[in-house]
Amino acid sequence: MTQEPVSLASALASFTEQWSPRIVTAVNDYDVRIAKVEGEHVWHVHDHTDEFFLVLDGELRIALREPGGERTVVLPKGSVFTVPRGTEHKPYAPEPAAILLLEPTGTSTVGDRHDEVPDHVDATTGLALT
């Protein structure tokens, strides 16, 4: 398979769905995914993997339920954050934002355990770019 460069701007322009990650490439056994996000995701946990976030545009907030209590991290454009495996979390974007995720191939967008998934959240393992 021949690899070609991927323009993240073009890839983001190719879809409109919110909370519906697209796989732009793979690195070893990991997917590099991009997503447009706005509003709330769902509380969820990845039992076996960390979850890496890079904010490409806008601002992302991630609520975390940790042993010491609940807190929210705020990620402006250009920021990265890793949610440790086993940590319950809920991403939220107050305004439209774009993010890049790094997750093992096959990882569900709503983790291994999650709240009820609303219609606006795509509960998949990522979709191919078209």
Side-chain angles (χ1 to χ4, degrees), residues 30 33 43-44 46 49-56 59-67 69-92 98-103:
Y30 282 77
R33 303 173 182 177
W43 281 104
H44 65 283
H46 298 278
T49 184
D50 300 335
E51 186 171 22
F52 173 87
F53 293 86
L54 165 63
V55 179
L56 300 170
E59 177 184 280
L60 182 70
R61 298 175 186 177
I62 305 174
L64 303 161
R65 290 180 177 154
E66 300 171 310
E70 198 169 298
R71 71 180 175 118
T72 299
V73 295
V74 178
L75 304 171
K77 179 179 179 178
S79 296
V80 299
F81 185 77
T82 300
V83 175
R85 72 188 73 204
T87 301
E88 191 174 12
H89 60 287
K90 179 172 133 178
Y92 171 78
I99 60 175
L100 182 142
L101 305 155
L102 183 63
E103 298 178 303

Side-chain angles (χ1 to χ4, degrees), residues 12 15 19-22 33-37 97-101:
L12 284 162
F15 64 98
W19 300 108
S20 184
R22 299 305 199 267
R33 303 173 182 177
I34 56 170
K36 292 180 176 181
V37 296
I99 60 175
L100 182 142
L101 305 155

